[in-house]
Each structure stands twice: as C-alpha cells, then as structure tokens.
Amino acid sequence: MSGIKFILTSPINFLKTVRSNACIALPKRTLFAQFHHRRLQGNVRYVLPSRQSSTATAGAEKGEDSFLKWLLLLIPVTTFGLGTWQVKRRQWKLQLIEDLKSLTTAEPINLPVDLMELNSLEYRRVKVRGRYDHSQELYILPRSPVDPEREAREAGRLSSSGETGANVITPFYCMDLGITILVNRGYVPKNKIRPETRMKGQVSDELDVVGVVRLTEQRKPFVPHNDIEGNHWHYRDLETMARVTGAEPIFIDAELASTIPGGPIGGQTRVTLRNEHMQYIATWYGLCMATSYMWYAKFIKKVRF
C-alpha cells in the first residue's frame, strides 16, 4: 500500500518543488527566438531573445544568400560562353564551305596514283581518260539526287521530300595510267537501276572524265552493313569495293559535265554542309540575356518573384 501511495504522490511533489524553486522555459515562439519564463518570489519575468543569437542567425542567412547569388550567376556566364563558342564555330563552318567550293571548282589536275598523295586531295578535281567496265557495276542506295538549293532549304529537317534511287559505281580503266579505278557515274531513279533500262548510256568508247576525289567512308551509326552478295552498298568501303571489282582503292565522283546522255546523272558530290550555328547563337545569347536580367532583379534590385 505504501508503494502505491509513493507512486501517486511523486508527480505532485515534483510539481511543488519546481514551483517553489526553478524556472520554466516556454516553448520557442519562432524558429530563431527563445523566450524564458521565470517565476521568482511570485513575480513572472520574460526574457527577450538574445542579440547574440539574432546576429548569428542573420549572418548565416546572409552567407546562404551570398552563396546562392554567385552560384546562380554561373547560368548567364555559361550561356554567354556557349553563344560565343557558336560564333567561332559558325566562322569555321563558313570557311570550310568556302574551301570545299574552291576545291570543287578549281582547274582539274591529272589523277595521281600515289595513294598517300590522294589522301590529301579529297574534293580535289581530277581528270582521267579511259573506258568503263559496265559488267561490274555497284549500287550505293538509297540515294536522292543532289540539289544544293533544295538541300539548303531543307537543312535541319528530320526528313526531306523527293525521289530516291541509287548511285552507280563503275570500274574505269585509265588508259594513260594503266590502272582501274572506281567512278561514281551519278544518280539513277529506282526504275533505272538495272543496266538494261538505260542501255543508251552504257557506252564502251574511250572518253575523258572529270571528277572529284573521294576517300573511304566509315559506317555511321544506324546505317546498315553493305550487302556484298546482293550488290546493295550503303556507304563507300573502298577496300572492299576494290577487292570485289579488281580495281585500285581510288574513287572519284564524276561531275555533271561528264554525264553521258541516257546514263546516270553526274555531279553527285555533296558540298553543302549543314550550318545551323546562327540558331544556336540566338538561343544561347537569348538565354544569357533572360537569366542575366532575372539575376539582376533578384539580387540587386531585390525583386520578389
């Protein structure tokens, strides 16, 4: 019985002791302020928040704002740098286009047989004289006819309109050099891929051909592998093409003036490079201006968003 009485009276005795001697701390009214409630000799006194804690809190908030301020400044700085980089990229692309055009319009030179020399002559105009071997034609497909004006209009589109067909690659025996090379005679539509549908252009006479040197081409992602057995080629693999036809791994695109009436249409060298850098410049500089204004309004003018 005495044990139960002790348990019941202990809380009451504890409260009496607290009331007579100690002070009671009230709960925090705010996140950074703390009030103390003290009862001394029947008088209640409230102690205001200390200035030291307020100063420390203000300093912490100021430090956080300063860190966020300079961190967000990286956004306009970065977009300005990307815009400037695109300006330089556009200048480089325009110069590259001009260089390619100058190579494809320069006076043709005699075709060199040194493969090392040819590696530095891509897009250079050359001239050869000889005969075509139409019995070993190769077909690169699908291909669409080269139209520089249309390609400039459709630059950047996911798909383009127009017909598709194939480029006809024919071994060409060079009379003056004594070697056989590969010549891209040009484009034919689907219904003209088979040689018997264009017999008028299958000449066997000796003739002069002017074309543009092209090097081997690496297979790009998602481009199918060449079907050698089916004679369906999707990219220029000069080593394999030369092995199949018995020619040297030398390849030229015949120009439009070398087109034989009734045969493939020459001039299928694409020298129009995609140039969308002006759009990128406008995008990055626009983002730079917008984020710069927002940063100025937030941290300089103290505008609340």
Side-chain angles (χ1 to χ4, degrees):
M1 181 67 71
S2 59
I4 297 174
K5 183 178 179 181
F6 174 77
I7 295 173
L8 294 175
T9 57
S10 292
I12 299 174
N13 294 333
F14 174 77
L15 291 175
K16 289 180 179 180
T17 303
V18 171
R19 286 179 180 178
S20 60
N21 298 318
C23 65
I24 299 176
L26 293 177
K28 294 180 181 179
R29 295 288 181 89
T30 65
L31 181 61
F32 302 104
Q34 181 178 4
F35 290 86
H36 298 283
H37 174 207
R38 296 183 179 179
R39 184 174 182 177
L40 300 175
Q41 298 179 354
N43 295 324
V44 179
R45 182 176 63 176
Y46 293 92
V47 181
L48 294 176
S50 62
R51 293 183 178 179
Q52 184 177 2
S53 62
S54 299
T55 304
T57 301
E61 290 179 344
K62 184 177 180 181
E64 292 176 358
D65 288 344
S66 178
F67 174 76
L68 184 62
K69 173 182 177 181
W70 298 115
L71 179 65
L72 293 180
L73 185 61
L74 289 175
I75 298 176
V77 170
T78 302
T79 52
F80 178 81
L82 290 171
T84 304
W85 177 63
Q86 286 298 329
V87 170
K88 296 183 180 297
R89 289 277 297 174
R90 181 174 181 272
Q91 294 173 349
W92 168 80
K93 183 63 70 65
L94 292 175
Q95 185 60 48
L96 180 60
I97 292 173
E98 288 300 320
D99 292 342
L100 292 178
K101 287 183 177 179
S102 64
L103 287 174
T104 55
T105 56
E107 285 296 319
I109 62 174
N110 293 324
L111 176 69
V113 294
D114 186 358
L115 295 180
M116 296 300 295
E117 184 178 355
L118 280 172
N119 288 335
S120 61
L121 294 178
E122 187 167 23
Y123 293 106
R124 188 69 169 84
R125 293 180 74 209
V126 295
K127 57 184 178 180
V128 291
R129 182 173 182 81
R131 292 189 179 91
Y132 283 115
D133 180 6
H134 301 291
S135 64
Q136 298 192 76
E137 285 185 346
L138 305 177
Y139 309 109
I140 300 180
L141 72 171
R143 288 294 184 271
S144 57
V146 171
D147 184 347
E149 294 183 359
R150 188 197 69 192
E151 292 181 0
R153 292 193 306 268
E154 297 179 347
R157 296 185 184 180
L158 294 178
S159 61
S160 59
S161 59
E163 61 179 334
T164 60
N167 284 350
V168 179
I169 315 302
T170 308
F172 185 86
Y173 180 73
C174 301
M175 307 294 295
D176 51 345
L177 299 177
I179 61 173
T180 300
I181 66 173
L182 297 170
V183 176
N184 176 13
R185 295 185 62 196
Y187 169 84
V188 292
K190 288 181 179 179
N191 59 347
K192 294 290 185 179
I193 293 179
R194 292 182 301 169
E196 56 268 23
T197 61
R198 43 184 169 83
M199 292 303 298
K200 183 179 178 181
Q202 302 295 87
V203 297
S204 57
D205 299 333
E206 186 174 327
L207 68 161
D208 294 315
V209 175
V210 177
V212 176
V213 175
R214 302 304 307 274
L215 302 180
T216 193
E217 187 178 23
Q218 299 296 324
R219 188 178 72 88
K220 298 178 181 178
F222 308 112
V223 173
H225 291 276
N226 290 327
D227 181 6
I228 301 174
E229 297 297 328
N231 198 10
H232 289 174
W233 302 77
H234 302 285
Y235 61 96
R236 291 189 310 275
D237 182 353
L238 298 193
E239 294 294 334
T240 305
M241 288 179 168
R243 185 176 66 251
V244 170
T245 59
E248 297 293 328
I250 300 174
F251 190 104
I252 66 173
D253 287 338
E255 63 179 23
L256 182 61
S258 296
T259 300
I260 299 172
I265 301 173
Q268 300 302 308
T269 304
R270 282 182 165 84
V271 294
T272 302
L273 302 179
R274 180 175 296 180
N275 185 10
E276 300 177 351
H277 296 289
M278 185 57 71
Q279 300 176 25
Y280 301 145
I281 290 171
T283 299
W284 289 122
Y285 278 154
L287 287 174
C288 177
M289 293 176 61
T291 54
S292 295
Y293 173 77
M294 294 176 65
W295 185 88
Y296 172 79
K298 171 68 176 176
F299 296 106
I300 305 302
K301 298 185 68 176
K302 307 296 183 181
V303 176
R304 292 185 176 273
F305 293 98

